[in-house]
Amino acid sequence: MSQIKYSAEHEWVQDNGDGTVLIGITDFAQQQLGDLVFVELPEVGDSISKGEEISVIESVKAASDLFAPVDGTIVEVNESLDDEPELINEDAMANWIIKVELSDASDLDDLMDEDAYQALTEEEA
Amino acid sequence: MTQSALLRTPLYDLHQELGAKLVEFAGYEMPVQYPLGVKKEHLHTRSAAGLFDVSHMGQVKLSGAKAAQALEKLVPVDIVDLPQMRQRYALFTNEEGGVLDDLMVTNAGDFLFLVVNAACKEQDIAHLQNHLEDECNIEVLSDRALLALQGPQAARIMAQLAPESAQMVFMTAKWLQLDGIECFVTRSGYSGEDGFEISVPAKQAEHLARVLLTDDDVQMIGLGARDSLRLEAGLCLYGHELSTEITPVEASLNWALSKARRADGIRPGGYLGDKTIMQQLAQGVSRKRVGIQALGKMPVRDPAELFDAGNNLIGFVSSGGFGPSVNAPIAIGFVSTELAVNGTRLFAKVRNKLVEVEVVGLPFIQANYYRGN
Protein backbone atom coordinates (compact mmCIF):
# COMPACT_ATOMS: atom_id res chain seq x y z
CA MET A 1 0.00 0.00 0.00
CA SER A 2 1.51 3.26 -1.08
CA GLN A 3 1.59 6.12 1.33
CA ILE A 4 1.33 9.83 0.52
CA LYS A 5 2.99 12.56 2.51
CA TYR A 6 3.13 16.31 2.07
CA SER A 7 5.63 19.14 2.31
CA ALA A 8 4.96 22.64 3.59
CA GLU A 9 5.75 23.87 0.05
CA HIS A 10 2.70 21.95 -1.25
CA GLU A 11 4.39 18.97 -2.83
CA TRP A 12 3.03 15.46 -2.37
CA VAL A 13 5.40 12.51 -2.06
CA GLN A 14 4.18 9.01 -2.73
CA ASP A 15 6.31 6.19 -1.29
CA ASN A 16 6.49 3.39 -3.83
CA GLY A 17 7.92 1.06 -1.18
CA ASP A 18 11.00 0.21 -3.29
CA GLY A 19 13.24 3.09 -2.30
CA THR A 20 11.66 5.43 -4.86
CA VAL A 21 9.02 8.12 -4.53
CA LEU A 22 6.81 10.02 -6.96
CA ILE A 23 6.61 13.78 -6.41
CA GLY A 24 3.92 16.12 -7.59
CA ILE A 25 2.16 19.28 -6.46
CA THR A 26 -1.00 19.18 -4.40
CA ASP A 27 -4.48 20.06 -5.53
CA PHE A 28 -4.30 23.10 -3.24
CA ALA A 29 -1.13 24.22 -5.05
CA GLN A 30 -2.59 23.77 -8.53
CA GLN A 31 -5.65 25.77 -7.50
CA GLN A 32 -3.46 28.56 -6.18
CA LEU A 33 -1.36 28.61 -9.35
CA GLY A 34 -4.26 28.50 -11.78
CA ASP A 35 -4.00 27.34 -15.39
CA LEU A 36 -0.61 25.74 -15.92
CA VAL A 37 1.10 26.38 -19.23
CA PHE A 38 4.60 25.01 -18.70
CA VAL A 39 6.45 22.61 -16.43
CA GLU A 40 10.23 22.79 -16.66
CA LEU A 41 11.24 19.17 -16.14
CA PRO A 42 14.64 18.55 -14.54
CA GLU A 43 17.14 16.07 -16.00
CA VAL A 44 17.07 12.38 -15.19
CA GLY A 45 20.21 11.59 -13.20
CA ASP A 46 20.28 14.94 -11.37
CA SER A 47 20.82 14.74 -7.62
CA ILE A 48 18.49 16.83 -5.56
CA SER A 49 18.63 17.96 -1.99
CA LYS A 50 15.87 19.05 0.35
CA GLY A 51 14.71 22.62 -0.05
CA GLU A 52 16.47 23.10 -3.38
CA GLU A 53 14.57 24.49 -6.39
CA ILE A 54 14.32 21.64 -8.87
CA SER A 55 11.69 22.69 -11.36
CA VAL A 56 9.64 25.66 -12.39
CA ILE A 57 5.92 25.49 -12.87
CA GLU A 58 4.39 28.30 -14.87
CA SER A 59 0.80 29.44 -15.04
CA VAL A 60 -0.58 32.03 -17.45
CA LYS A 61 0.38 34.74 -14.98
CA ALA A 62 3.42 33.62 -13.03
CA ALA A 63 6.32 31.25 -12.50
CA SER A 64 6.60 29.24 -9.27
CA ASP A 65 9.36 26.98 -8.01
CA LEU A 66 9.07 23.31 -7.16
CA PHE A 67 11.25 22.55 -4.14
CA ALA A 68 12.80 19.16 -3.47
CA PRO A 69 11.00 17.63 -0.48
CA VAL A 70 13.64 14.88 -0.07
CA ASP A 71 17.29 14.12 -0.90
CA GLY A 72 17.89 11.74 -3.79
CA THR A 73 18.43 11.21 -7.49
CA ILE A 74 15.90 11.82 -10.24
CA VAL A 75 15.27 8.53 -12.02
CA GLU A 76 12.34 9.53 -14.21
CA VAL A 77 10.39 12.63 -15.24
CA ASN A 78 6.78 12.71 -16.38
CA GLU A 79 7.27 13.67 -20.01
CA SER A 80 3.56 13.86 -20.74
CA LEU A 81 3.63 17.20 -18.86
CA ASP A 82 5.83 18.57 -21.63
CA ASP A 83 2.88 18.67 -23.98
CA GLU A 84 0.06 18.79 -21.46
CA PRO A 85 0.97 20.74 -18.31
CA GLU A 86 -2.77 21.17 -17.78
CA LEU A 87 -2.94 17.52 -16.68
CA ILE A 88 -1.89 18.82 -13.25
CA ASN A 89 -4.89 21.15 -13.18
CA GLU A 90 -7.12 18.25 -14.13
CA ASP A 91 -5.79 15.87 -11.47
CA ALA A 92 -2.83 17.06 -9.44
CA MET A 93 -2.59 13.88 -7.35
CA ALA A 94 -2.56 11.54 -10.35
CA ASN A 95 -0.01 13.45 -12.38
CA TRP A 96 3.39 13.17 -10.77
CA ILE A 97 6.25 15.36 -11.97
CA ILE A 98 9.41 13.45 -11.01
CA LYS A 99 10.35 10.01 -9.71
CA VAL A 100 13.21 10.09 -7.20
CA GLU A 101 15.40 7.40 -5.70
CA LEU A 102 15.72 8.31 -2.03
CA SER A 103 19.16 8.79 -0.46
CA ASP A 104 17.67 8.38 2.97
CA ALA A 105 14.24 6.84 3.49
CA SER A 106 13.93 8.59 6.85
CA ASP A 107 13.38 11.86 4.94
CA LEU A 108 9.77 10.76 4.60
CA ASP A 109 9.33 10.92 8.37
CA ASP A 110 9.91 14.66 8.25
CA LEU A 111 6.97 15.22 5.92
CA MET A 112 3.36 15.85 6.94
CA ASP A 113 0.56 13.32 6.90
CA GLU A 114 -2.73 14.19 5.28
CA ASP A 115 -4.34 15.60 8.44
CA ALA A 116 -1.40 17.90 9.17
CA TYR A 117 -1.36 19.06 5.57
CA GLN A 118 -5.11 19.71 5.60
CA ALA A 119 -4.64 21.88 8.67
CA LEU A 120 -1.87 23.80 6.90
CA THR A 121 -3.94 24.52 3.82
CA GLU A 122 -6.91 25.64 5.91
CA GLU A 123 -4.59 28.07 7.62
CA GLU A 124 -3.20 29.38 4.32
CA ALA A 125 -6.50 29.50 2.42
CA MET B 1 -0.26 54.20 -2.53
CA THR B 2 -0.38 56.00 0.77
CA GLN B 3 -3.81 54.74 1.80
CA SER B 4 -3.65 51.89 4.22
CA ALA B 5 -7.13 50.57 3.46
CA LEU B 6 -7.75 49.23 -0.01
CA LEU B 7 -10.39 50.92 -2.11
CA ARG B 8 -13.30 48.98 -3.57
CA THR B 9 -15.26 49.50 -6.75
CA PRO B 10 -19.09 49.57 -6.78
CA LEU B 11 -18.98 45.96 -8.03
CA TYR B 12 -17.06 44.64 -5.02
CA ASP B 13 -20.03 42.72 -3.58
CA LEU B 14 -20.80 41.20 -6.98
CA HIS B 15 -17.19 40.06 -7.39
CA GLN B 16 -17.38 38.34 -4.02
CA GLU B 17 -20.73 36.76 -4.84
CA LEU B 18 -19.30 35.41 -8.10
CA GLY B 19 -16.35 33.81 -6.30
CA ALA B 20 -13.64 36.15 -7.55
CA LYS B 21 -10.12 35.88 -6.22
CA LEU B 22 -9.39 39.43 -5.11
CA VAL B 23 -5.94 40.99 -5.09
CA GLU B 24 -4.48 44.42 -4.42
CA PHE B 25 -4.07 46.39 -7.63
CA ALA B 26 -3.30 50.10 -7.80
CA GLY B 27 -4.69 50.57 -4.30
CA TYR B 28 -7.92 48.70 -5.07
CA GLU B 29 -9.15 45.28 -4.11
CA MET B 30 -9.73 43.88 -7.59
CA PRO B 31 -10.75 40.52 -9.07
CA VAL B 32 -7.73 38.84 -10.66
CA GLN B 33 -9.81 35.85 -11.74
CA TYR B 34 -13.15 34.13 -11.21
CA PRO B 35 -13.74 30.38 -10.74
CA LEU B 36 -13.50 29.88 -14.52
CA GLY B 37 -9.76 30.69 -14.37
CA VAL B 38 -7.55 33.02 -16.39
CA LYS B 39 -7.18 30.81 -19.46
CA LYS B 40 -10.88 30.06 -19.92
CA GLU B 41 -11.81 33.67 -19.15
CA HIS B 42 -9.39 34.76 -21.86
CA LEU B 43 -10.73 32.29 -24.41
CA HIS B 44 -14.32 33.14 -23.49
CA THR B 45 -13.67 36.82 -24.25
CA ARG B 46 -12.25 35.91 -27.66
CA SER B 47 -15.16 33.58 -28.52
CA ALA B 48 -18.18 35.21 -26.83
CA ALA B 49 -18.14 38.20 -24.47
CA GLY B 50 -16.26 39.16 -21.33
CA LEU B 51 -17.42 41.75 -18.81
CA PHE B 52 -14.66 43.64 -17.03
CA ASP B 53 -14.91 45.91 -14.03
CA VAL B 54 -12.51 48.74 -14.84
CA SER B 55 -14.01 51.17 -12.35
CA HIS B 56 -10.63 51.61 -10.72
CA MET B 57 -9.54 53.62 -13.75
CA GLY B 58 -9.90 57.38 -13.54
CA GLN B 59 -12.70 59.21 -15.35
CA VAL B 60 -12.15 62.91 -15.76
CA LYS B 61 -14.25 65.62 -17.35
CA LEU B 62 -12.52 68.64 -18.88
CA SER B 63 -14.83 71.50 -19.77
CA GLY B 64 -14.62 75.10 -20.88
CA ALA B 65 -14.32 76.76 -24.27
CA LYS B 66 -10.56 76.20 -24.42
CA ALA B 67 -10.39 72.68 -22.97
CA ALA B 68 -9.23 71.00 -26.19
CA GLN B 69 -6.58 73.65 -26.87
CA ALA B 70 -5.40 73.38 -23.27
CA LEU B 71 -5.14 69.60 -23.31
CA GLU B 72 -2.96 69.78 -26.42
CA LYS B 73 -0.23 71.26 -24.18
CA LEU B 74 0.04 67.89 -22.44
CA VAL B 75 -0.45 65.35 -25.27
CA PRO B 76 1.16 65.00 -28.74
CA VAL B 77 -2.28 64.31 -30.13
CA ASP B 78 -4.84 66.28 -32.12
CA ILE B 79 -7.60 67.17 -29.66
CA VAL B 80 -8.75 70.48 -31.18
CA ASP B 81 -9.98 68.77 -34.34
CA LEU B 82 -11.24 65.62 -32.65
CA PRO B 83 -14.77 65.35 -34.05
CA GLN B 84 -17.72 65.27 -31.71
CA MET B 85 -18.40 61.81 -30.22
CA ARG B 86 -15.05 60.52 -31.47
CA GLN B 87 -12.42 59.00 -29.25
CA ARG B 88 -8.64 59.07 -29.54
CA TYR B 89 -5.73 57.32 -27.82
CA ALA B 90 -3.37 59.82 -26.21
CA LEU B 91 -0.27 60.04 -24.04
CA PHE B 92 0.70 62.45 -21.30
CA THR B 93 4.35 63.28 -21.99
CA ASN B 94 6.92 64.92 -19.73
CA GLU B 95 9.59 67.53 -20.47
CA GLU B 96 12.02 64.80 -21.57
CA GLY B 97 9.56 63.24 -24.00
CA GLY B 98 8.90 60.28 -21.68
CA VAL B 99 5.40 59.06 -20.96
CA LEU B 100 3.55 59.87 -17.73
CA ASP B 101 0.49 57.81 -18.67
CA ASP B 102 -1.61 56.74 -21.62
CA LEU B 103 -5.25 57.69 -21.78
CA MET B 104 -8.38 57.78 -23.91
CA VAL B 105 -9.90 61.13 -24.83
CA THR B 106 -13.44 61.50 -26.15
CA ASN B 107 -15.00 64.68 -27.45
CA ALA B 108 -18.38 64.44 -25.71
CA GLY B 109 -19.64 67.70 -27.25
CA ASP B 110 -19.65 70.14 -24.36
CA PHE B 111 -16.76 68.47 -22.56
CA LEU B 112 -13.79 66.15 -23.02
CA PHE B 113 -14.10 62.77 -21.36
CA LEU B 114 -10.76 61.28 -20.25
CA VAL B 115 -10.08 57.76 -19.00
CA VAL B 116 -6.71 57.32 -17.30
CA ASN B 117 -4.94 54.40 -15.64
CA ALA B 118 -5.78 53.51 -12.05
CA ALA B 119 -2.16 53.47 -10.90
CA CYS B 120 -1.51 56.92 -12.39
CA LYS B 121 -4.79 58.69 -11.79
CA GLU B 122 -3.82 60.81 -8.78
CA GLN B 123 -0.64 61.91 -10.52
CA ASP B 124 -2.58 62.55 -13.77
CA ILE B 125 -5.18 64.68 -12.03
CA ALA B 126 -2.44 66.70 -10.32
CA HIS B 127 -0.72 67.08 -13.70
CA LEU B 128 -3.94 68.37 -15.28
CA GLN B 129 -4.52 70.76 -12.39
CA ASN B 130 -0.95 72.07 -12.45
CA HIS B 131 -1.02 72.86 -16.13
CA LEU B 132 -4.62 73.49 -17.09
CA GLU B 133 -6.48 74.77 -14.05
CA ASP B 134 -6.54 78.34 -15.36
CA GLU B 135 -7.86 77.34 -18.75
CA CYS B 136 -10.55 74.76 -18.11
CA ASN B 137 -12.61 73.02 -15.47
CA ILE B 138 -11.28 69.70 -14.29
CA GLU B 139 -13.79 67.42 -12.67
CA VAL B 140 -12.98 63.94 -11.45
CA LEU B 141 -16.01 61.72 -12.02
CA SER B 142 -15.58 59.68 -8.88
CA ASP B 143 -19.30 58.86 -8.77
CA ARG B 144 -19.10 56.82 -11.96
CA ALA B 145 -18.12 53.20 -12.52
CA LEU B 146 -16.65 51.83 -15.75
CA LEU B 147 -17.51 48.50 -17.32
CA ALA B 148 -16.01 46.98 -20.45
CA LEU B 149 -17.91 44.45 -22.52
CA GLN B 150 -15.51 42.83 -24.97
CA GLY B 151 -15.73 40.08 -27.55
CA PRO B 152 -17.51 39.02 -30.73
CA GLN B 153 -20.91 38.83 -28.98
CA ALA B 154 -20.60 42.29 -27.40
CA ALA B 155 -22.36 44.07 -30.28
CA ARG B 156 -25.35 41.68 -30.22
CA ILE B 157 -25.72 42.04 -26.45
CA MET B 158 -25.49 45.83 -26.55
CA ALA B 159 -27.94 46.05 -29.46
CA GLN B 160 -30.52 44.21 -27.36
CA LEU B 161 -30.28 46.88 -24.69
CA ALA B 162 -29.83 49.85 -27.04
CA PRO B 163 -30.43 49.18 -30.77
CA GLU B 164 -28.69 52.45 -31.74
CA SER B 165 -25.39 51.04 -30.43
CA ALA B 166 -25.22 49.07 -33.70
CA GLN B 167 -24.46 52.33 -35.56
CA MET B 168 -21.33 52.91 -33.50
CA VAL B 169 -17.96 52.09 -35.01
CA PHE B 170 -14.58 51.67 -33.32
CA MET B 171 -13.53 54.77 -31.34
CA THR B 172 -16.89 56.52 -31.38
CA ALA B 173 -19.13 57.44 -28.44
CA LYS B 174 -22.84 57.74 -27.65
CA TRP B 175 -25.09 58.42 -24.71
CA LEU B 176 -27.22 55.29 -24.42
CA GLN B 177 -30.06 54.23 -22.15
CA LEU B 178 -29.13 50.76 -20.95
CA ASP B 179 -32.03 49.21 -19.03
CA GLY B 180 -33.16 52.73 -18.17
CA ILE B 181 -29.73 53.88 -17.03
CA GLU B 182 -28.13 56.76 -18.89
CA CYS B 183 -24.60 55.68 -19.79
CA PHE B 184 -21.76 57.23 -21.74
CA VAL B 185 -20.58 54.47 -24.05
CA THR B 186 -17.57 54.23 -26.33
CA ARG B 187 -16.94 51.45 -28.84
CA SER B 188 -13.46 50.58 -27.65
CA GLY B 189 -11.58 48.50 -25.16
CA TYR B 190 -8.21 46.96 -24.53
CA SER B 191 -8.60 43.31 -25.50
CA GLY B 192 -8.14 43.47 -29.28
CA GLU B 193 -11.80 42.52 -29.68
CA ASP B 194 -14.80 44.53 -30.74
CA GLY B 195 -16.44 45.87 -27.62
CA PHE B 196 -17.71 48.75 -25.54
CA GLU B 197 -16.64 50.71 -22.50
CA ILE B 198 -19.58 51.88 -20.45
CA SER B 199 -19.36 54.76 -18.01
CA VAL B 200 -22.29 54.28 -15.64
CA PRO B 201 -23.37 56.05 -12.43
CA ALA B 202 -21.73 54.15 -9.57
CA LYS B 203 -25.06 53.46 -7.85
CA GLN B 204 -26.44 51.69 -10.92
CA ALA B 205 -23.28 49.82 -11.92
CA GLU B 206 -24.12 46.58 -10.15
CA HIS B 207 -27.61 46.54 -11.62
CA LEU B 208 -26.23 47.05 -15.13
CA ALA B 209 -23.57 44.36 -14.64
CA ARG B 210 -26.28 41.92 -13.51
CA VAL B 211 -28.40 42.76 -16.56
CA LEU B 212 -25.44 42.10 -18.87
CA LEU B 213 -24.65 38.86 -17.02
CA THR B 214 -28.15 37.49 -17.70
CA ASP B 215 -26.98 36.84 -21.26
CA ASP B 216 -25.54 33.32 -21.49
CA ASP B 217 -22.63 34.60 -23.57
CA VAL B 218 -21.38 36.97 -20.85
CA GLN B 219 -18.85 35.99 -18.20
CA MET B 220 -17.11 38.25 -15.70
CA ILE B 221 -13.40 38.46 -16.52
CA GLY B 222 -10.60 39.34 -14.11
CA LEU B 223 -7.39 41.32 -14.38
CA GLY B 224 -5.38 38.18 -15.18
CA ALA B 225 -7.13 37.61 -18.49
CA ARG B 226 -7.33 41.35 -19.13
CA ASP B 227 -3.54 41.37 -19.15
CA SER B 228 -3.10 38.30 -21.39
CA LEU B 229 -5.72 39.68 -23.81
CA ARG B 230 -3.96 43.04 -24.14
CA LEU B 231 -0.58 41.30 -24.47
CA GLU B 232 -1.85 39.22 -27.41
CA ALA B 233 -3.34 42.39 -28.86
CA GLY B 234 0.13 43.98 -28.69
CA LEU B 235 -1.13 46.92 -26.65
CA CYS B 236 1.08 48.95 -24.32
CA LEU B 237 0.65 48.79 -20.57
CA TYR B 238 1.81 51.65 -18.40
CA GLY B 239 4.72 50.59 -16.19
CA HIS B 240 5.75 47.99 -18.76
CA GLU B 241 5.88 49.37 -22.31
CA LEU B 242 5.38 52.97 -21.22
CA SER B 243 7.22 54.93 -18.57
CA THR B 244 8.98 58.22 -18.02
CA GLU B 245 12.10 56.48 -19.38
CA ILE B 246 10.45 55.45 -22.66
CA THR B 247 9.28 57.85 -25.36
CA PRO B 248 6.25 57.22 -27.62
CA VAL B 249 8.60 56.84 -30.62
CA GLU B 250 10.61 54.16 -28.82
CA ALA B 251 7.32 52.48 -27.86
CA SER B 252 6.46 52.30 -31.60
CA LEU B 253 3.44 54.51 -31.03
CA ASN B 254 4.12 56.82 -34.00
CA TRP B 255 0.56 56.11 -35.19
CA ALA B 256 -0.69 57.83 -32.03
CA LEU B 257 1.31 61.01 -32.71
CA SER B 258 -1.19 63.03 -34.72
CA LYS B 259 -0.10 64.55 -38.05
CA ALA B 260 -1.39 67.96 -36.95
CA ARG B 261 1.07 68.04 -34.07
CA ARG B 262 4.16 66.96 -36.02
CA ALA B 263 6.87 69.24 -37.39
CA ASP B 264 5.05 69.63 -40.71
CA GLY B 265 1.57 69.70 -39.19
CA ILE B 266 -0.83 72.59 -38.73
CA ARG B 267 -0.19 72.85 -34.97
CA PRO B 268 3.33 71.46 -34.58
CA GLY B 269 4.70 70.72 -31.11
CA GLY B 270 3.53 72.80 -28.19
CA TYR B 271 3.38 69.83 -25.80
CA LEU B 272 5.78 68.75 -23.08
CA GLY B 273 8.83 67.01 -24.53
CA ASP B 274 7.96 68.11 -28.08
CA LYS B 275 11.58 68.79 -29.08
CA THR B 276 12.75 65.30 -28.16
CA ILE B 277 9.79 63.58 -29.77
CA MET B 278 9.97 65.59 -33.01
CA GLN B 279 13.71 64.99 -33.21
CA GLN B 280 13.18 61.25 -32.71
CA LEU B 281 10.48 61.23 -35.40
CA ALA B 282 12.91 62.88 -37.80
CA GLN B 283 16.08 61.01 -36.90
CA GLY B 284 14.88 57.72 -35.51
CA VAL B 285 15.56 56.09 -32.16
CA SER B 286 18.18 53.64 -30.94
CA ARG B 287 15.66 51.15 -29.54
CA LYS B 288 12.14 50.11 -30.45
CA ARG B 289 9.24 48.10 -29.11
CA VAL B 290 8.71 44.75 -30.85
CA GLY B 291 6.87 41.47 -30.45
CA ILE B 292 8.89 38.58 -29.05
CA GLN B 293 7.97 34.96 -29.73
CA ALA B 294 9.66 32.33 -27.58
CA LEU B 295 10.72 29.43 -29.76
CA GLY B 296 10.35 26.84 -27.01
CA LYS B 297 7.50 26.31 -24.61
CA MET B 298 8.98 28.19 -21.69
CA PRO B 299 7.33 31.57 -21.07
CA VAL B 300 9.69 34.54 -21.21
CA ARG B 301 8.52 37.15 -18.73
CA ASP B 302 9.50 40.70 -17.89
CA PRO B 303 12.06 41.98 -17.04
CA ALA B 304 14.18 39.31 -18.79
CA GLU B 305 17.24 40.73 -20.52
CA LEU B 306 17.66 40.17 -24.26
CA PHE B 307 20.96 39.31 -25.92
CA ASP B 308 22.12 39.01 -29.51
CA ALA B 309 23.99 36.00 -30.92
CA GLY B 310 27.26 37.60 -29.81
CA ASN B 311 26.03 37.68 -26.19
CA ASN B 312 25.67 41.47 -26.18
CA LEU B 313 22.87 42.92 -24.04
CA ILE B 314 20.57 44.55 -26.60
CA GLY B 315 17.25 44.97 -24.83
CA PHE B 316 14.69 43.71 -22.36
CA VAL B 317 11.29 42.08 -22.16
CA SER B 318 8.67 44.59 -20.97
CA SER B 319 5.70 42.17 -20.72
CA GLY B 320 5.67 38.45 -21.18
CA GLY B 321 3.59 35.41 -20.45
CA PHE B 322 1.45 32.88 -22.19
CA GLY B 323 -1.10 33.75 -24.85
CA PRO B 324 -4.04 31.39 -24.47
CA SER B 325 -5.40 32.21 -27.96
CA VAL B 326 -2.08 31.83 -29.75
CA ASN B 327 -1.40 28.88 -27.39
CA ALA B 328 2.24 29.83 -27.01
CA PRO B 329 4.52 31.94 -24.86
CA ILE B 330 4.55 35.54 -26.11
CA ALA B 331 6.17 38.77 -25.03
CA ILE B 332 6.70 42.40 -25.87
CA GLY B 333 10.12 43.94 -25.50
CA PHE B 334 12.51 46.69 -26.48
CA VAL B 335 15.51 45.95 -28.70
CA SER B 336 18.19 47.94 -30.52
CA THR B 337 16.62 49.40 -33.65
CA GLU B 338 18.90 47.49 -36.02
CA LEU B 339 17.59 44.24 -34.51
CA ALA B 340 13.93 45.31 -34.58
CA VAL B 341 13.37 43.32 -37.75
CA ASN B 342 10.89 40.45 -37.92
CA GLY B 343 12.64 37.09 -37.92
CA THR B 344 15.70 38.26 -35.96
CA ARG B 345 16.81 35.55 -33.54
CA LEU B 346 17.70 36.70 -30.05
CA PHE B 347 18.19 35.16 -26.62
CA ALA B 348 16.26 35.93 -23.45
CA LYS B 349 17.85 35.24 -20.10
CA VAL B 350 15.38 33.22 -18.05
CA ARG B 351 16.56 31.98 -14.66
CA ASN B 352 20.16 32.37 -15.82
CA LYS B 353 19.63 30.28 -18.93
CA LEU B 354 19.49 31.66 -22.46
CA VAL B 355 16.27 30.85 -24.30
CA GLU B 356 16.01 31.44 -28.04
CA VAL B 357 13.36 33.95 -29.13
CA GLU B 358 12.41 35.63 -32.38
CA VAL B 359 11.39 39.20 -33.15
CA VAL B 360 7.87 39.16 -34.60
CA GLY B 361 5.31 41.72 -35.69
CA LEU B 362 2.57 42.90 -33.33
CA PRO B 363 -0.20 42.07 -32.62
CA PHE B 364 -0.13 38.34 -31.94
CA ILE B 365 -3.80 38.05 -32.83
CA GLN B 366 -5.70 39.95 -35.47
CA ALA B 367 -7.70 42.79 -33.95
CA ASN B 368 -11.45 42.48 -34.46
CA TYR B 369 -12.42 46.12 -34.08
CA TYR B 370 -15.67 47.07 -35.79
CA ARG B 371 -14.99 49.82 -38.31
CA GLY B 372 -18.27 49.62 -40.19
CA ASN B 373 -19.28 47.68 -43.28
Side-chain angles (χ1 to χ4, degrees):
Chain A
M1 184 60 202
S2 67
Q3 197 196 354
I4 295 182
K5 300 206 110 179
Y6 301 86
S7 76
E9 285 79 32
H10 307 288
E11 288 100 17
W12 57 260
V13 180
Q14 179 185 302
D15 184 1
N16 294 328
D18 60 356
T20 68
V21 293
L22 294 176
I23 297 170
I25 63 165
T26 65
D27 190 56
F28 177 83
Q30 75 77 19
Q31 278 183 32
Q32 294 289 312
L33 292 169
D35 302 308
L36 299 187
V37 295
F38 179 72
V39 178
E40 183 182 47
L41 295 168
E43 296 286 321
V44 170
D46 281 0
S47 340
I48 59 168
S49 48
K50 262 183 284 185
E52 175 196 14
E53 297 154 16
I54 47 172
S55 160
V56 173
I57 298 171
E58 304 220 20
S59 66
V60 176
K61 278 299 281 176
S64 312
D65 291 312
L66 178 76
F67 296 96
V70 292
D71 291 345
T73 306
I74 296 171
V75 290
E76 206 179 328
V77 296
N78 184 357
E79 281 171 8
S80 58
L81 297 175
D82 229 5
D83 289 323
E84 295 177 278
E86 64 272 21
L87 288 171
I88 292 176
N89 291 124
E90 287 160 21
D91 191 345
M93 300 307 287
N95 289 284
W96 55 280
I97 298 170
I98 53 171
K99 186 175 177 182
V100 171
E101 192 172 284
L102 294 169
S103 309
D104 182 354
S106 71
D107 278 356
L108 297 177
D109 301 338
D110 301 335
L111 297 168
M112 281 177 265
D113 63 15
E114 181 147 13
D115 289 347
Y117 182 67
Q118 278 292 334
L120 176 80
T121 57
E122 275 160 30
E123 207 175 285
E124 288 190 14
Chain B
M1 286 302 292
T2 46
Q3 280 126 313
S4 51
L6 291 176
L7 300 167
R8 292 172 176 177
T9 75
L11 297 190
Y12 177 82
D13 291 343
L14 181 61
H15 297 318
Q16 288 233 308
E17 185 184 313
L18 295 174
K21 184 175 166 187
L22 297 157
V23 297
E24 189 276 334
F25 181 79
Y28 282 79
E29 215 171 335
M30 294 298 290
V32 65
Q33 65 175 81
Y34 297 86
L36 201 55
V38 176
K39 200 167 161 183
K40 288 193 182 122
E41 289 172 30
H42 177 117
L43 295 171
H44 183 88
T45 305
R46 293 253 184 265
S47 66
L51 182 62
F52 303 74
D53 177 15
V54 284
S55 305
H56 57 316
M57 296 182 81
Q59 302 181 59
V60 183
K61 181 175 171 177
L62 293 190
S63 56
K66 290 181 176 174
Q69 245 172 305
L71 184 59
E72 284 199 355
K73 294 200 296 187
L74 305 183
V75 299
V77 176
D78 177 5
I79 305 294
V80 167
D81 287 329
L82 178 61
Q84 204 160 319
M85 289 302 180
R86 297 288 300 218
Q87 189 178 32
R88 202 158 271 168
Y89 177 74
L91 303 142
F92 285 128
T93 48
N94 66 11
E95 298 281 2
E96 289 76 43
V99 178
L100 294 170
D101 195 9
D102 59 345
L103 68 153
M104 298 299 284
V105 183
T106 309
N107 176 357
D110 47 1
F111 66 95
L112 293 173
F113 174 70
L114 275 51
V115 177
V116 301
N117 280 306
C120 303
K121 70 179 172 188
E122 284 181 30
Q123 167 208 302
D124 291 342
I125 292 158
H127 185 63
L128 288 165
Q129 285 167 342
N130 285 342
H131 291 91
L132 310 185
E133 207 158 38
D134 298 339
E135 291 157 89
C136 57
N137 303 312
I138 302 158
E139 187 188 342
V140 181
L141 304 173
S142 47
D143 58 346
R144 296 187 80 84
L146 193 66
L147 304 180
L149 183 69
Q150 301 281 296
Q153 291 296 320
R156 176 190 63 74
I157 294 155
M158 284 295 282
Q160 280 173 351
L161 292 172
E164 65 271 40
S165 65
Q167 299 148 20
M168 298 171 73
V169 294
F170 185 54
M171 301 295 270
T172 63
K174 250 187 202 313
W175 286 98
L176 296 175
Q177 292 280 331
L178 302 177
D179 203 52
I181 307 165
E182 192 173 46
C183 299
F184 187 71
V185 179
T186 58
R187 193 153 192 174
S188 59
Y190 224 59
S191 63
E193 296 301 320
D194 178 27
F196 299 84
E197 287 200 346
I198 306 164
S199 173
V200 51
K203 282 183 186 151
Q204 287 152 304
E206 185 181 319
H207 175 78
L208 179 60
R210 286 184 190 277
V211 168
L212 292 166
L213 285 166
T214 57
D215 193 291
D216 287 344
D217 279 330
V218 181
Q219 287 281 348
M220 280 303 286
I221 308 297
L223 293 178
R226 182 171 169 79
D227 190 45
S228 56
L229 288 158
R230 76 92 202 163
L231 177 62
E232 281 185 341
L235 299 167
C236 292
L237 179 64
Y238 195 81
H240 290 256
E241 285 71 39
L242 300 173
S243 76
T244 52
E245 311 296 313
I246 299 170
T247 71
V249 186
E250 291 174 317
S252 303
L253 290 174
N254 295 14
W255 59 267
L257 305 171
S258 303
K259 285 199 179 79
R261 310 296 308 282
R262 296 193 183 201
D264 56 352
I266 50 168
R267 288 188 312 285
Y271 53 87
L272 297 176
D274 54 357
K275 282 190 183 63
T276 304
I277 290 172
M278 288 200 286
Q279 188 182 17
Q280 289 185 344
L281 280 170
Q283 296 169 9
V285 282
S286 60
R287 60 174 184 178
K288 275 176 79 174
R289 180 172 67 98
V290 294
I292 304 277
Q293 178 86 57
L295 297 178
K297 290 174 184 170
M298 188 192 290
V300 173
R301 302 180 191 272
D302 51 285
E305 292 176 323
L306 293 168
F307 296 86
D308 65 10
N311 213 23
N312 303 300
L313 179 65
I314 51 78
F316 65 97
V317 171
S318 50
S319 290
F322 183 85
S325 301
V326 297
N327 196 29
I330 53 170
I332 298 175
F334 287 80
V335 300
S336 301
T337 303
E338 66 273 18
L339 297 171
V341 178
N342 293 353
T344 303
R345 294 283 172 102
L346 299 170
F347 297 90
K349 197 182 231 179
V350 181
R351 294 182 287 275
N352 276 324
K353 274 181 269 181
L354 290 175
V355 177
E356 198 168 18
V357 300
E358 188 176 299
V359 174
V360 296
L362 291 170
F364 293 97
I365 52 110
Q366 197 199 327
N368 291 318
Y369 306 134
Y370 179 70
R371 298 177 193 273
N373 292 315

